[in-house]
Every structure is written in structure tokens, then in C-alpha cells.
């Protein structure tokens, strides 16, 4: 009768390699790539109606909380998957009308516009970005929110 302890040890070694090497490597590739696999699951296919080259906007740095949230979908109740600090440079490749993010904000910061990130990792709200860097409002009462981010006509888009 053959000794089966070698088979048992071999199976244990294969399981150990799979658990310690293969599984973490595959997870790392899925989650840490240029465009993580989980982003593809959430990205429903944003397309612009015209030819829209990527352009730069800046996360708001005018009123607390400074910066802006990155959302999975163009809606404030959508999962937050990241954040930009105040005055961070953000590359976008279009915009669309979605859910109003901040309905109690004064105009134009109560807009329903959302900007699509060029890396397809999510969306930032109109209220959360500006066309140029801004300085914080020390009084917290200024009506000047800064220069709004541009809504270029060929960059208006829709979800497919």
C-alpha cells in the first residue's frame, strides 16, 4: 500500500500557495490597476453628445468642508468612493444633468450638474468644483463662491 502522506502534503502546499500567493495577486490586479475592475462594475457607460477633449476643473476651496467627494453615480446619495482636497486639479471629460447634490445652496451651487472623471472612477458635483482655484472665505458668509466650472456644450453627455 502506498504512503498517502505525500499526497496530503502536496495538497496542503498547493492550497497554501493559492491562498498566500495567487488569490492576493489576482485581487491586487483587480483592485489596483489603472482602472480597477470594481469601477467597471459601476461605470454604466457615460458618453458625450459631441467631441469633448478632457479639461481641468478644481475642487472647491471656498467654504467648509473644503474639497469635493467622488461618487459612484451622479447623485449625492450614491456611494462615496474618494475625495479631492481643496483646489485639487481634477480632469473631467464631460458632464450631465443628474440629481441635485445640494438643493439648499445658493445659485448656481444648487445645480443638478455632475462632472465625469476622465479615468471613469466616478463623478463630482457642480457645487464641489470651480473653474479656477479659489481662496477660503474667512467670513463664511461671502456670496462669491468663485468662478463656476465651465459647462462646455459639446461635453454634455448621457448614460448609455
Amino acid at each position: 500500500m502506498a504512503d498517502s502522506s505525500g499526497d496530503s502534503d502536496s495538497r496542503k502546499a498547493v492550497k497554501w500557495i493559492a491562498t498566500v500567493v495567487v488569490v492576493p495577486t489576482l485581487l491586487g490586479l483587480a483592485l489596483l490597476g489603472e482602472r480597477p475592475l470594481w469601477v467597471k462594475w459601476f461605470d454604466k457607460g457615460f458618453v458625450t453628445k459631441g467631441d469633448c477633449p478632457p479639461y481641468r476643473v478644481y475642487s472647491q476651496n471656498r467654504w467648509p468642508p473644503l474639497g469635493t467627494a467622488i461618487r459612484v453615480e451622479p447623485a449625492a446619495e450614491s456611494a462615496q468612493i474618494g475625495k479631492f482636497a481643496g483646489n485639487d486639479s481634477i480632469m473631467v471629460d464631460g458632464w450631465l444633468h443628474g440629481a441635485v447634490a445640494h438643493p439648499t445652496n445658493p445659485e448656481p451651487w444648487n445645480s443638478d450638474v455632475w462632472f465625469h472623471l476622465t479615468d471613469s472612477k466616478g463623478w463630482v458635483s457642480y457645487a464641489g468644483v470651480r473653474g479656477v482655484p479659489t481662496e477660503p472665505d474667512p467670513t463664511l458668509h461671502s456670496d462669491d463662491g468663485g468662478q463656476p466650472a465651465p459647462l462646455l456644450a459639446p461635453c454634455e453627455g448621457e448614460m448609455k
Side-chain angles (χ1 to χ4, degrees):
M1 186 166 186
D3 182 10
S4 63
S5 66
D7 285 340
S8 176
D9 289 343
S10 295
R11 286 187 186 127
K12 286 180 184 176
V14 169
K15 286 181 183 177
W16 182 85
I17 290 171
T19 303
V20 174
V21 177
V22 175
V23 172
T25 301
L26 291 175
L27 282 173
L29 290 172
L31 297 175
L32 298 177
E34 181 178 319
R35 185 167 183 236
L37 182 60
W38 62 270
V39 170
K40 295 177 187 176
W41 297 333
F42 292 115
D43 189 8
K44 295 183 174 53
F46 172 75
V47 295
T48 58
K49 295 178 181 174
D51 184 23
C52 180
Y55 64 99
R56 185 178 320 278
V57 296
Y58 297 88
S59 52
Q60 78 86 20
N61 193 47
R62 192 69 177 139
W63 300 301
L66 303 179
T68 190
I70 304 169
R71 303 276 178 192
V72 171
E73 295 178 351
E77 63 276 0
S78 174
Q80 182 175 337
I81 55 173
K83 180 176 171 52
F84 289 104
N87 280 342
D88 277 353
S89 172
I90 303 169
M91 293 303 293
V92 298
D93 59 6
W95 58 273
L96 58 67
H97 292 281
V100 175
H102 302 283
T104 59
N105 280 1
E107 288 186 16
W109 313 116
N110 60 352
S111 174
D112 68 348
V113 168
W114 289 81
F115 292 92
H116 186 254
L117 302 179
T118 56
D119 60 10
S120 293
K121 289 184 179 175
W123 298 85
V124 292
S125 73
Y126 185 86
V129 296
R130 301 295 185 266
V132 296
T134 54
E135 293 295 321
D137 171 22
T139 70
L140 302 179
H141 298 292
S142 174
D143 290 335
D144 178 16
Q147 180 179 328
L151 298 177
L152 306 174
C155 298
E156 183 178 4
E158 59 188 20
M159 299 300 278
K160 287 290 181 182

